[in-house]
Amino acid sequence: MAEQRQDKAALISETRRRFEAEYLADKSEKYDSRDVERLQQDDKWVENYLIWRHDVVDDTLKMIDESLQWRKEYTVNDLTESVLPKWLFENGSLFLHGYDKEGYKLFWFRVKHHTRDPKQQLEKKKLVAFWLEHYAKRDHGKPLTVVFDMAETGISHIDLDFVRFIVNCFTDYYPNFLTKIVIFEMPWIMNAAFKIVKGWLGPDAISMLKFTNKSDVQEYISGEYLPPHMGGTDSFKYSYPPLVDDDFQTPLCENGPITSEDEHESKEEIDADTKESGELNEEQNLNQKKMNSIEQISKSEETDKTEIKPKNAKKALTTFKGPLLHISPAEELYFGSKETGEKKCLIVLTNVTKNVVAFKVRTTAPEKYRVKPSNSSCEPGTSLDIIVSLHGGFAASLQDRFLIMAAEMDQSSGAGVPELTQFWKEVPRTKVMEHRLRCHVIESSKPSSLTLKENAFNIPAKTNEDLHIQLTRLLQINRRLQEQIDRCLWFQQLSVVLSLLSVTVVAFCFYLAYTQRS
C-alpha cells in the first residue's frame, strides 16, 4: 500500500512538472490562475485526473488542458446564483436531491421541463456547470449519479447537443466524478439518438449506463428517494427559492414537518410545544431524583436559558467555528440504532458576534425529526442548546443531513416569530452562514451484565454516550467559569490601580499640607 502511494505521488509530481513545462508556458492566458494554483496544491484533484485516464500521463495532461480551458471559457469559478437568470432555477429541470443505494448524490435532469432553444443554450449549460462546481466544492469531489428522468417526454424535448454537453462534463471536465447514469423510461423514439450518445461516452462510461423503468429502477435508487411516478414514496416537490443544494426544502418545526415558512407558530403547534415541554420537565424531575450529580449540573445551566438535555444524547467535543456561530458537534450527530433506542442528540450554538443572530434548522428528512427550537435567535455572547429527536417509529440514517442557517439581525429588529419570518424573507443569501451536519448511527457498547445490575438498583444505565455528554457539559461550565474568573480578575486589577491612585493622591495632599506649614 505504501509503495502504491509512493507511485501515485510520483505520477502526480510528474504530471505537474510536465504540465508546467509543456502547457503552462504557451497557454497561461487560456487558464484561470485559480485553477492553475489549485492544480499545484490539490493532490486529490490531480489524482482524479490520473484515475480517469488510467494513470497515462499523456492522456491526463490532455484532459487537464481541455478541462482548464473549458473552466475559463465558462467562468466556472465565478458562477453564482446572482449571475444566472432566475428562471433557470425556477424551471426545475436540473437539481440535486437524494442519494442512490451506494450513498452517492443524485443529479436529476427532468427532461420534460427542457425544450430546445439555441438562444438559451449557453445559459442552460452554465447552469449545469454551476451545479457541478457547487457540489464539487461542497462535498470535495465526491462522485455523483446522474438521473435522466424521461417520463412524459416527446420529440420536442430531445436535445442531443445539451445531452452531449452533460456527458462531456463528466468525461472531459470533471474527472472521476461519475458513478452511473440512470435513464428512466426512455421513449422508443430516442433509441436511435442514444446510440449516438453511446458513441460519445467511450467504453468506460458506457458500462455506467443503466436503462430502467418502474419495475427495476429500485435496483439503483431506493423508493424513499424516488417520486411516485417512478414507483417511489418521495414527497419532495421542487421549488425555488431557496436553492435546492442539499434537499433542505421543507422547513422544520418543533413538532414535525410543516409546509410553509409562515406556519411556524400555529395554535396547535404552540399547544403541542407546551405539552411537550411539560413532559420533558417531568422527565427531568424523575432523573433528578436518581442522579444528584446531573442535578447539580442542570442547576448551574438554568441561567443560560438552555433546553433540557436528552439522556441519551451525544455531543462531540469538536466545534465548528463559524463567523457568526460556533457549532458543536462540528460534523456529525450521533443517534442510536433501533436496538439501542437512543433517539435524541444535542446541538450547541454559541453566538460569537455583538448582535443577535437568527438561526433556523433544516433537514433532508423532515418527516423523521423534531427539532426544538428550529427557528429562533441567540443573544450576543450566549449559548443555546437545540434538541434533535426522532419521532414515531423512524430510525436515523447515514444519508440524513441537517443544515443550520444563521444571519445577524439589526439591534432594532424583534426576535418574535413574525419578525423572524419577515427577516428570513428579506436577508440576502450572501449574509447567511450555512453549516451542514451528517448523521451517525452508533451501537451500544454497554455489557448486558452491567445493564442487569443497574436495572436491579433502578438507576439509569450509563453508556459511553452519557458520560461523553456529561464531560462535555462540565467542560462548557468550566469555560464559562473561567470567563467569569477572568472578568473578576480584570475588575480586581482595576480596583488595585484605582486604590493606588487614591493613596497617591492622598499622600500628595498630605505632602502639600506639610510643606505649607513648614
Side-chain angles (χ1 to χ4, degrees):
M1 182 63 69
E3 185 177 348
Q4 290 179 353
R5 291 308 306 170
Q6 289 177 354
D7 293 342
K8 185 65 71 174
L11 281 173
I12 291 172
S13 179
E14 180 186 356
T15 301
R16 284 174 172 154
R17 179 185 58 78
R18 288 188 55 185
F19 181 77
E20 185 173 356
E22 300 173 22
Y23 289 85
L24 196 56
D26 297 332
K27 297 184 179 181
S28 59
E29 76 285 351
K30 295 185 179 181
Y31 308 133
D32 188 319
S33 60
R34 289 168 289 185
D35 291 330
V36 175
E37 183 179 357
R38 179 186 173 191
L39 196 70
Q40 298 298 332
Q41 298 176 356
D42 190 342
D43 289 351
K44 184 63 177 177
W45 202 29
V46 181
E47 183 178 355
N48 281 337
Y49 279 110
L50 286 164
I51 291 172
W52 199 242
R53 288 296 180 258
H54 305 289
D55 289 341
V56 178
V57 177
D58 286 339
D59 294 344
T60 301
L61 289 171
K62 291 178 182 178
M63 183 177 183
I64 292 174
D65 175 49
E66 293 176 4
S67 175
L68 266 57
Q69 288 191 56
W70 172 82
R71 290 176 65 85
K72 183 172 183 179
E73 178 187 354
Y74 278 77
T75 61
V76 171
N77 289 312
D78 298 312
L79 287 177
T80 62
E81 282 182 81
S82 59
V83 302
L84 292 171
K86 187 178 179 181
W87 68 264
L88 281 175
F89 295 99
E90 293 174 336
N91 175 263
S93 60
L94 288 166
F95 56 88
L96 295 165
H97 174 70
Y99 302 84
D100 67 10
K101 284 192 170 181
E102 298 175 278
Y104 294 113
K105 193 72 176 176
L106 299 176
F107 184 38
W108 291 82
F109 180 27
R110 300 292 302 279
V111 182
K112 74 174 184 178
H113 294 310
H114 177 84
T115 53
R116 291 194 308 271
D117 187 345
K119 295 180 181 179
Q120 300 174 352
Q121 200 75 316
L122 179 60
E123 292 174 330
K124 289 180 179 179
K125 290 178 178 179
K126 285 191 174 184
L127 179 66
V128 176
F130 165 83
W131 277 120
L132 295 179
E133 191 67 13
H134 181 79
Y135 178 76
K137 288 178 178 178
R138 196 192 70 210
D139 278 42
H140 309 293
K142 186 177 179 180
L144 289 166
T145 291
V146 179
V147 182
F148 282 94
D149 179 6
M150 305 188 74
E152 302 177 31
T153 59
I155 192 69
S156 63
H157 304 110
I158 298 174
D159 189 346
L160 290 183
D161 179 60
F162 191 66
V163 172
R164 182 172 189 173
F165 175 80
I166 294 176
V167 169
N168 286 347
C169 283
F170 290 99
T171 58
D172 298 334
Y173 309 139
Y174 285 87
N176 202 32
F177 204 51
L178 179 67
T179 61
K180 65 183 76 70
I181 300 175
V182 178
I183 301 172
F184 179 76
E185 289 191 353
M186 188 181 72
W188 65 269
I189 199 171
M190 292 193 66
N191 286 335
F194 259 84
K195 288 182 180 178
I196 300 174
V197 173
K198 286 182 179 180
W200 299 334
L201 286 171
D204 292 330
I206 285 178
S207 63
M208 299 179 180
L209 280 176
K210 312 296 179 184
F211 292 91
T212 64
N213 51 41
K214 224 173 186 179
S215 64
D216 58 7
V217 66
Q218 293 196 35
E219 291 181 18
Y220 309 104
I221 306 168
S222 62
E224 65 177 315
Y225 289 120
L226 290 173
H229 76 270
M230 295 176 74
T233 59
D234 191 356
S235 60
F236 170 81
K237 300 293 184 183
Y238 178 88
S239 64
Y240 176 85
L243 186 67
V244 196
D245 59 347
D246 202 5
D247 314 333
F248 300 104
Q249 281 289 96
T250 307
L252 282 173
C253 73
E254 283 77 1
N255 301 286
I258 60 177
T259 58
S260 170
E261 290 281 356
D262 297 325
E263 297 176 15
H264 277 284
E265 289 291 331
S266 66
K267 291 182 180 180
E268 292 79 4
E269 289 170 356
I270 294 173
D271 293 340
D273 288 347
T274 304
K275 180 180 179 181
E276 184 175 335
S277 298
E279 292 172 354
L280 287 171
N281 285 328
E282 183 179 350
E283 180 183 350
Q284 184 193 32
N285 291 334
L286 291 172
N287 288 339
Q288 286 176 340
K289 293 178 182 178
K290 297 176 182 179
M291 302 173 67
N292 291 330
S293 60
I294 299 300
E295 179 184 18
Q296 294 174 356
I297 296 173
S298 299
K299 287 182 178 179
S300 66
E301 292 288 289
E302 286 176 359
T303 56
D304 295 316
K305 298 193 300 181
T306 57
E307 296 288 344
I308 302 158
K309 312 300 186 297
K311 179 173 72 66
N312 288 323
K314 174 176 179 178
K315 181 172 74 64
L317 293 176
T318 55
T319 300
F320 167 77
K321 296 183 178 180
L324 306 181
L325 296 175
H326 287 183
I327 301 173
S328 182
E331 296 180 353
E332 293 182 327
L333 298 180
Y334 288 81
F335 290 93
S337 63
K338 287 185 177 180
E339 289 72 20
T340 63
E342 297 164 2
K343 294 182 176 294
K344 293 184 179 181
C345 65
L346 188 70
I347 303 173
V348 179
L349 306 181
T350 302
N351 184 350
V352 294
T353 73
K354 296 180 180 180
N355 296 318
V356 175
V357 171
F359 69 88
K360 59 181 176 179
V361 183
R362 294 177 181 271
T363 181
T364 56
E367 72 283 356
K368 291 184 180 182
Y369 299 95
R370 291 179 180 176
V371 178
K372 187 175 180 67
S374 63
N375 183 19
S376 187
S377 60
C378 188
E379 295 294 323
T382 64
S383 294
L384 185 143
D385 294 350
I386 298 175
I387 296 177
V388 181
S389 59
L390 286 157
H391 69 96
F394 289 108
S397 168
L398 296 176
Q399 296 174 343
D400 296 342
R401 301 287 190 276
F402 284 84
L403 171 68
I404 299 170
M405 304 172 67
E408 281 187 283
M409 301 182 73
D410 295 333
Q411 296 289 352
S412 58
S413 302
V417 173
E419 291 84 0
L420 286 171
T421 300
Q422 189 63 29
F423 171 77
W424 285 112
K425 288 180 179 179
E426 297 175 352
V427 64
R429 285 189 60 84
T430 54
K431 294 186 178 181
V432 177
M433 183 195 97
E434 295 185 354
H435 184 65
R436 291 167 173 80
L437 297 170
R438 301 185 298 270
C439 286
H440 186 83
V441 181
I442 53 176
E443 302 292 338
S444 176
S445 58
K446 181 172 54 182
S448 57
S449 58
L450 178 60
T451 304
L452 292 172
K453 182 178 180 181
E454 290 177 338
N455 289 339
F457 287 97
N458 197 27
I459 298 175
K462 294 184 181 181
T463 64
N464 290 337
E465 289 70 45
D466 297 318
L467 297 175
H468 194 86
I469 191 170
Q470 291 179 35
L471 175 60
T472 302
R473 295 180 63 193
L474 286 172
L475 289 174
Q476 288 179 336
I477 295 170
N478 181 67
R479 176 175 58 81
R480 290 165 185 162
L481 288 174
Q482 184 63 46
E483 292 173 354
Q484 294 176 5
I485 291 171
D486 291 341
R487 285 195 293 269
C488 290
L489 289 174
W490 185 83
F491 281 114
Q492 185 183 49
Q493 292 171 356
L494 181 62
S495 300
V496 170
V497 172
L498 292 174
S499 299
L500 289 174
L501 286 174
S502 300
V503 170
T504 302
V505 171
V506 171
F508 184 68
C509 291
F510 276 115
Y511 174 75
L512 290 177
Y514 176 76
T515 54
Q516 287 176 358
R517 288 178 183 177
S518 59

